[in-house]
Amino acid sequence: MESYRHMWTMQKKMNEDLRVARLVQEGLLPEPMNNEDVHFIGHYIPSSQLSGDLYFWQQVRPHLYAFIIIDVMGHGVASALVVMSIRSLLHGLMTKVTDPLTVVHELNRHSFQLFGKETKYYFTAFYGTIDVKTKVIEYVNAGHPPAIFMDEQKTVLLKEGGIPIGIVSNPPYKKGSIHFQRHAYLTLYFRGKRKK
């Protein structure tokens, strides 16, 4: 009976720790942004209490906005810790460096610095900038599902980039760009995970 009570107490504490960790993780997500130039909104529905999914955006110059979506392979506490480590970098990195190629290479460097060459943690990412003055989106798709760009004339899948981050130490990424007019929409999403 005492053993059962101890197990129940431990389970209750673990569930409470996971609940708090999820609140912390959700607190790292940005609020919607809506102004005369851009409108960012995200919707987060994790398949378990903790996940390796993250999105983030911010204004980095008066006319420039940066955004990213990340999906760490795996699930649970380990992938959540990886994504929190990445999130701690983003504000400073995106403010200091805006070129998408530089940002994904820096995230790749951080991944190897954090886990070493034997890492089993890697992540897909889609990082981009929106220049509302020149009306150009620049991006790198690092193994993530393609973003969907739509304007009044066309719908385009944004695939340019390379492999997921954290697989090799110096991946050959390519940068993509697309011009937009007054009304354009960009949709990014996470690939669904199958339940075992």
Side-chain angles (χ1 to χ4, degrees), residues 51-136:
S51 79
D53 302 332
L54 174 73
Y55 57 83
F56 184 68
W57 52 72
Q58 65 182 5
Q59 186 171 5
V60 293
R61 305 285 185 274
H63 59 91
L64 193 68
Y65 298 82
F67 61 92
I68 192 167
I69 187 169
I70 290 170
D71 187 356
V72 177
M73 296 304 106
H75 57 277
V77 175
S79 60
L81 288 172
V82 173
V83 89
M84 286 182 182
S85 169
I86 297 164
R87 172 62 182 85
S88 69
L89 291 176
L90 290 178
H91 174 74
L93 178 60
M94 292 163 75
T95 303
K96 183 174 69 172
V97 181
T98 59
D99 179 64
L101 280 172
T102 306
V103 170
V104 293
H105 278 294
E106 183 62 23
L107 288 173
N108 195 70
R109 188 189 67 76
H110 173 74
S111 177
F112 274 84
Q113 190 177 44
L114 198 61
F115 305 113
K117 292 182 181 177
E118 302 303 317
T119 180
K120 63 179 182 175
Y121 293 105
Y122 61 93
F123 56 95
T124 66
F126 188 105
Y127 176 81
T129 59
I130 302 171
D131 190 321
V132 296
K133 186 189 289 183
T134 61
K135 303 270 195 269
V136 173

Side-chain angles (χ1 to χ4, degrees), residues 17-29 50 84:
D17 287 347
L18 288 171
R19 187 188 72 81
V20 171
R22 179 170 176 174
L23 290 175
V24 170
Q25 191 174 34
E26 289 177 358
L28 297 175
L29 298 172
L50 293 175
M84 286 182 182

